[in-house]
Amino acid sequence: MCPPDYFDVNYLFNPWLSYDQKVDKQRAVEQWERLVDTLEEAGADVEFMGPSETSGAQVFTADGALIYDDDKALILRNDGVRGVAEPKLFADWLEGHGFQTEVLPPKYHLDGGNILRIDRGSFLVGIKPGSPHEGERYLAKMLRLVSGASVEPIHLVDEKYLHLDMVVGRLGEKVYLVFTSG
């Protein structure tokens, strides 16, 4: 997890953001601290990544990399400014903690908010509306080759819910929470 020291709306990376609404930094810190406490009280081992001024969205650490094996990570690349600023931050942190990293090739974009591990051998991957889903196809091929894992694409249809982690959450071994509109 990364503390929200620099969290702000410096650019719009989802439809919920607006330059008209400023981040309440004190509230963001309080919410983040409450989340950390809740996770630790539930038994999670939480590791912390230092914040960087180069990315106000770095707090969304799930977007930065996919840990696909005990010591292996694929560094992801978001669209826009985040895709330039964050890959090195995440690669440096993971390599400093003993992970072997591979970087998503430059022409592909994919963020961790659209990847959900179902079990050790399979993943759901959200496809944004209008996406050519090249990054998702690369991920499916790479996972199949290095670990035999399968990838099931889920086409996201609502512009307001551009990330799989906004509509599906894993609650247990075979229990999921799914948001449906309407």
Side-chain angles (χ1 to χ4, degrees):
M1 294 183 71
C2 177
D5 295 15
Y6 302 107
F7 180 60
D8 209 341
V9 180
N10 299 320
Y11 47 91
L12 306 179
F13 56 88
N14 72 44
W16 301 101
L17 296 173
S18 167
Y19 290 125
D20 296 332
Q21 298 175 331
K22 292 298 173 193
V23 171
D24 180 337
K25 297 201 181 209
Q26 181 176 344
R27 184 173 180 217
V29 169
E30 290 168 1
Q31 290 174 332
W32 184 84
E33 288 173 347
R34 192 167 51 245
L35 176 60
V36 170
D37 290 344
T38 301
L39 291 170
E40 290 178 335
E41 287 170 12
D45 291 324
V46 180
E47 301 231 9
F48 299 97
M49 175 181 199
S52 171
E53 292 182 58
T54 62
S55 178
Q58 185 186 353
V59 296
F60 301 109
T61 55
D63 288 346
L66 171 66
I67 309 298
Y68 62 89
D69 202 351
D70 292 337
D71 65 347
K72 294 180 178 70
L74 175 65
I75 304 300
L76 304 174
R77 181 177 303 98
N78 284 277
D79 298 326
V81 176
R82 292 182 71 193
V84 175
E86 293 180 353
K88 181 165 177 23
L89 298 172
F90 287 103
D92 288 349
W93 190 91
L94 286 162
E95 289 167 5
H97 286 78
F99 286 86
Q100 296 174 30
T101 62
E102 177 180 341
V103 178
L104 193 66
K107 67 180 182 175
Y108 299 135
H109 297 268
L110 183 62
D111 65 63
N114 276 328
I115 305 170
L116 177 66
R117 182 187 308 264
I118 295 178
D119 57 38
R120 189 106 176 126
S122 58
F123 295 83
L124 294 178
V125 178
I127 312 264
K128 295 177 184 178
S131 166
H133 62 279
E134 293 169 324
E136 293 84 355
R137 284 196 296 266
Y138 175 88
L139 175 68
K141 184 176 181 179
M142 190 229 30
L143 288 173
R144 188 176 61 251
L145 290 172
V146 300
S147 67
S150 65
V151 172
E152 183 67 35
I154 303 291
H155 290 272
L156 304 171
V157 296
D158 191 327
E159 291 285 335
K160 291 183 180 175
Y161 300 97
L162 295 177
H163 293 97
L164 189 62
D165 64 3
M166 293 178 74
V167 295
V168 178
R170 185 173 179 175
L171 300 176
E173 191 62 33
K174 295 189 183 241
V175 180
Y176 299 88
L177 178 66
V178 179
F179 170 78
T180 59
S181 62

